[in-house]
Amino acid sequence: AVPCGPEAPAFRLSAETRRRFRCLTRAERRAVLLHFACGLSLAEVGERMGRSRGAVAGLVRRGLSKLRKAVRP
C-alpha cells in the first residue's frame, strides 16, 4: 500500500500551499488531501472520514472553490 498521511511525500507542501489550505475547514482539508494527494476515491475518503460519498463530494467541491479564490490575485 502507498503511504498516505503526514509522513507521505505527497503531504510535503510548501509554506505557501500550507498557508492557502488554512482557509479550509479541517474536514475540507482532509477530504481534499485524501482525494487528490492520496488518490482515494470519494467513497474511500468517505469510509475513512465516516461520511457518505455525497458528503465528501461536497467537502471536496467547497474546498476546491475556496482554494481557487485563495490563489486569485
Side-chain angles (χ1 to χ4, degrees), residues 16-73:
E16 181 65 19
T17 301
R18 284 193 308 274
R19 185 186 65 73
R20 288 185 174 144
F21 265 79
R22 283 190 219 130
C23 71
L24 306 183
T25 65
R26 182 179 212 163
E28 290 166 344
R29 185 170 43 252
R30 186 169 183 220
V32 168
L33 289 173
L34 286 172
H35 184 55
F36 290 103
C38 295
L40 299 180
S41 70
L42 294 174
E44 291 169 323
V45 174
E47 288 176 20
R48 289 207 180 181
M49 295 181 69
R51 296 178 184 237
S52 70
R53 183 194 176 284
V56 169
L59 289 169
V60 170
R61 185 176 55 251
R62 284 189 301 278
L64 291 177
S65 177
K66 288 179 182 180
L67 288 171
R68 280 187 204 102
K69 290 176 185 173
V71 298
R72 288 188 185 138

